Amino acid sequence: MNRRSLLGLMATTAATGAMARDAEPLRAAFESAAAANASARDADAWERVAHDYAREVGWSPADVLQHELAVDFAELTHLVPSGHTAVRTRLIYVAAQLAALLAINLTNLGEGRAARRWWRTAARAADQTGDQAIAALVRGRGAVFSLYASTPRLSVIEAADEAIAVGQGTPCAGVASGYAAKAQALAELGRHREAADVLDDLGDMFQRLPDAVRTEHGSQWGWSNGRLLYVTSLVHTCAGNVGSAMEAQDAALALFPVRNWQARGQVEMHRAGALIGAGDVDEGTRHMARVLERLPAEQRGDGLLQVSAMTSLRLAPPAQAGRPSIRQVRELLAAGDR
């Protein structure tokens, strides 16, 4: 496609998006004028909406999804009071999921403070359903994503323990996420023996998860082997276990599809960290730079990727912090964060 055609397509896409937003108040006005009690069909429709978003967040452009999620959450908010008994509970369940997805998407955008407020809303909504699985899920995923929001690691551990307690040890994605967050936080704190013990607990929990959870790929609510390998990679990277770290990284990269640039990029940052921690600072940072340079600027600015890179850079000895290769990586990250 030549440049003129590409610019024309971009202009058309932008105009179409603007028209869709301009028409939204009209649609909302009709929904209000024709308001009726929410039915089981409404709950069915909203459950499909949440299911689809769970497979888009983390894969689709976060800036685009943020507007869409916010609009849908607002519409659902107006609908909830009109539901009765079981329908209302189902709608609140969906609200808990959408609030959590908004929090995840905000973290991807690097808006960790705003994300914290949405995690609180998600937990409050989940508790209203009386379902311990969704209550554990939003807390467990919240603990994991707080690792990418400048949250003190001791606070992450407290949130992870809460998710595990709420789940009451039941094999579910929420409890697995709690163990995952705790293992990573301990590893980053340098408490490597404790991190290894929690990683073992996570491995045991993973084996007990229902097949539907372990085989759910591409959704924020699944807990596949790729997630286990990711946590294993980080724990061993922080501990300086280069062989074990790279073994987990090779296995993870073999599982993650090419289009999952976020997870693949994070694992590559782990690989760089393993090299840096082993004393090969220049090779580790060169690897990091090569990975970052292959990504578009908007992907280099991804909140999860940025934090993963900085975690690995912190494994360099303080005396090496001013090396040119480290400065180059920091510049690449800063350029993507604009």
Side-chain angles (χ1 to χ4, degrees), residues 3 13 23 31 40 54 79 138 140 162 165 173 216 222 231-232 275 278-280 287 290 299 331 334:
R3 182 173 179 275
T13 301
E31 289 282 347
L79 188 63
V138 298
E162 182 181 357
E216 176 62 271
V231 179
T232 302
L275 293 167
D280 200 343
H287 178 77
R290 287 192 295 268
Q299 292 182 1
E331 289 170 2

Side-chain angles (χ1 to χ4, degrees), residues 239-251:
N241 303 326
V242 179
S244 297
M246 290 195 171
E247 181 180 351
Q249 290 151 19
D250 287 340

